[in-house]
Amino acid sequence: QVHLVESGGGSMQAGGSLRLSCAASEYTVKNYCMGWYRQRPGRISEALAAIDVDGRSSYADSIKGRFTISKDIPERTLYLQMDSLKPEDASVYYCAADYRPPGAAVCDVFGVEHLGYRGQGVQVTVSA
């Protein structure tokens, strides 16, 4: 069972920064494809970023250059550093993870919202 717990959400003014954290087991952070996506009420999920087991990352164009995904295996945590926040970044943010066997589909931002495990989500509010 993969257990993911997000934290770090809250309210911020436009232009500010927030860092989201996703706590997991060390095994998960080390061996799973992980990523972040967000979902606003009444809208489809939007994949944001992914990081593979070797630390290679990929991003959606909408947040490229403003958000950074990273992971700390000893700390058992996945991060999403969000800078230059915009009002349209307000959403519920989810951490997601899944195992990718060797030779299986690559770990890429496309499809992050369909990874097998996700956390409970964390609210981010951005005021103009």
Side-chain angles (χ1 to χ4, degrees), residues 16-112:
S17 298
L18 282 173
R19 187 176 77 163
L20 304 183
S21 299
C22 173
S25 71
E26 183 173 341
Y27 184 86
T28 298
V29 177
K30 183 176 180 180
N31 296 292
Y32 277 50
C33 171
M34 301 188 77
W36 293 93
Y37 69 95
R38 65 189 179 191
Q39 187 167 23
R40 283 168 277 191
R43 301 202 180 185
I44 62 172
S45 299
E46 179 186 9
L48 299 175
I51 188 165
D52 70 10
V53 297
D54 295 319
R56 289 181 292 251
S57 57
S58 56
Y59 297 91
D61 288 342
S62 61
I63 54 91
K64 195 175 293 184
R66 297 191 298 122
F67 291 8
T68 304
I69 190 171
S70 63
K71 63 181 181 179
D72 189 322
I73 296 172
E75 291 296 320
R76 300 173 294 164
T77 304
L78 176 75
Y79 299 102
L80 185 68
Q81 176 68 40
M82 306 188 295
D83 300 318
S84 303
L85 283 164
K86 303 176 181 180
E88 54 263 42
D89 292 321
S91 185
V92 178
Y93 284 71
Y94 295 90
C95 166
D98 213 341
Y99 179 67
R100 288 283 189 267
V106 298
C107 178
D108 188 85
V109 63
F110 299 106
V112 159

